[in-house]
Amino acid sequence: MLRPVAIGYVVLLVLAGPGSAQETESVRGFEIGTLFGLTHHSSDGDGATIVGLPSSPTLGIPGIPSLYVSWFPVAYMSVGSEFSAGRTAGDVFGITSLYFGGRGTFFPLGSPGSGLYVLCHGAVRHFDLRERPSVTDFAVGGGLGYRWRLGPAFVLRAEGRYRRWFDDGVDNFSVLLGLGARTGSGSEVPNIAGPLYEVGTRFGISRISSDDDSIVMMAAPGSPTSGVLGNPSIYVTWFPSANLSVGPEINVGRSSGSTIRTTSLNLGGRALFSLKDNAGTGPYLLCNGAVLVLDVDEREAEADFSAGGGAGYQLRAGSAFLVRAEAQYRRWFDDEVNDFSLLVGLGARIGGK
């Protein structure tokens, strides 16, 4: 009597073991990406609407756009943080903004695939303008979102959220998009026929110099730089061959309030030549060009053009998650400005192998 029971128990363990391991392997891991979109702030008698994709003319307030990192300990929950930082230092002014938030999400249908989720979060931000007292504020809030899992690692999010900033007495309503890359245990590189794309964000430090002045800017990725010179940005890359990739990069910023309206648009194109096969880890060379339009209320809109080049290194982590490090130079012709940048890129592959 005991022998059939024991045999049946062993069979169940053998059958259940791989399934449990596979479930754990597909759930646990990290997701890294950027959040950006439209935010409306309202207080007593005043309000402002801000759009950032992902570089924003909002002096980094209130931390959107931002980088996020989420950890999935179980199938129905993730916890993580959001972060943005900006620093602009020149001869005339200095601006520093720092934002850090925590977020928790609950997936009623489980997290491995696409689905609805509920989120709660809290945040602190610090803003410092030269020769003025620094400001620190705290916020809590919540919202709803939907996540699409596209390919082995690429993740697209849509979120609606509310936050209350207590010291300033400001209500913050946001409609956001998120681009993320999923990494962690397990995912083999799928052999998928079709074209190969990479989607991601780039940010870092830029030094802009001309005959009259020089400015150093740091952004990760919420920036106090009014979107100038297009850093940070979102990029899309297509790989027509094993060593060549081409694609656009863009950022958009719009701030509309009772005292000022500012719009910035940067659209660029870039080509990369990998010294090794671009499917793996290795160095590459790049060339780029861009057009920048900046429009401030009661001033004439300005447009400028740039061209340049540089070098980078690509680190492939997991099935489709990539980290890039780049050094580049650009010349902005109308303003006669030299732009030297050290950038970090986070991206995810879609399709191909």
Side-chain angles (χ1 to χ4, degrees):
M1 182 69 181
L2 292 176
R3 181 175 296 177
V5 173
I7 293 174
Y9 182 70
V10 170
V11 170
L12 287 175
L13 285 177
V14 171
L15 293 177
S20 300
Q22 184 178 5
E23 181 181 358
T24 301
E25 188 177 47
S26 64
V27 171
R28 290 183 180 174
F30 292 90
E31 184 182 322
I32 303 174
T34 183
L35 290 163
F36 54 89
L38 183 148
T39 300
H40 179 75
H41 314 277
S42 63
S43 61
D44 296 335
D46 198 6
T49 301
I50 298 150
V51 179
L53 177 66
S55 185
S56 172
T58 64
L59 305 179
I61 300 172
I64 295 295
S66 64
L67 289 177
Y68 72 87
V69 179
S70 293
W71 174 52
F72 294 82
V74 294
Y76 295 94
M77 182 179 70
S78 70
V79 293
S81 61
E82 300 175 2
F83 173 79
S84 73
R87 170 68 180 168
T88 299
D91 296 338
V92 180
F93 62 93
I95 304 173
T96 302
S97 65
L98 177 65
Y99 165 91
F100 183 81
R103 53 187 275 140
T105 57
F106 174 74
F107 294 81
L109 302 179
S111 67
S114 302
L116 182 73
Y117 59 89
V118 180
L119 68 94
C120 60
H121 59 92
V124 56
R125 65 175 173 88
H126 178 79
F127 182 71
D128 188 8
L129 183 62
R130 186 182 294 174
E131 298 181 355
R132 293 187 182 182
S134 60
V135 177
T136 302
D137 203 353
F138 304 87
V140 296
L144 293 173
Y146 194 91
R147 189 185 72 161
W148 291 269
R149 187 81 179 266
L150 306 174
F154 182 63
V155 175
L156 176 65
R157 293 177 176 269
E159 290 184 6
R161 59 163 71 172
Y162 164 79
R163 287 187 293 190
R164 174 70 175 183
W165 295 93
F166 294 106
D167 288 351
D168 289 343
V170 171
D171 296 306
N172 172 203
F173 302 90
S174 299
V175 178
L176 305 175
L177 291 178
L179 299 178
R182 184 75 182 267
T183 185
S185 58
S187 16
E188 299 180 355
V189 178
N191 187 9
I192 303 174
L196 175 63
Y197 298 92
E198 182 182 327
V199 182
T201 184
R202 295 164 64 245
F203 52 90
I205 300 174
S206 294
R207 183 180 187 275
I208 299 96
S209 63
S210 64
D211 295 337
D212 301 325
D213 196 7
S214 66
I215 299 174
V216 177
M217 300 183 297
M218 183 276 289
S223 172
T225 63
S226 300
V228 173
L229 307 185
N231 180 24
S233 64
I234 286 186
Y235 70 86
V236 179
T237 299
W238 172 53
F239 297 83
S241 69
N243 297 97
L244 178 67
S245 63
V246 294
E249 57 181 339
I250 185 174
N251 66 49
V252 179
R254 171 67 178 170
S255 180
S256 177
S258 57
T259 57
I260 189 171
R261 292 177 177 84
T262 306
T263 303
S264 65
L265 170 65
N266 181 283
L267 180 63
R270 50 194 260 130
L272 278 63
F273 179 77
S274 298
L275 303 182
K276 296 182 178 181
D277 190 323
N278 61 39
T281 297
Y284 57 88
L285 303 176
L286 65 94
C287 61
N288 56 45
V291 57
L292 170 69
V293 179
L294 182 63
D295 187 9
V296 181
D297 257 5
E298 300 179 356
R299 296 184 184 180
E300 186 176 353
E302 300 178 1
D304 203 351
F305 305 87
S306 74
Y313 192 87
Q314 167 187 295
L315 176 65
R316 183 83 177 260
S319 63
F321 179 62
L322 293 102
V323 179
R324 296 182 176 273
E326 294 181 1
Q328 70 174 26
Y329 164 78
R330 290 186 292 186
R331 174 70 175 180
W332 294 90
F333 296 106
D334 289 350
D335 289 339
E336 298 182 348
V337 167
N338 297 308
D339 171 13
F340 300 90
S341 299
L342 296 175
L343 305 174
V344 174
L346 302 175
R349 293 281 174 90
I350 310 172
K353 180 178 179 179

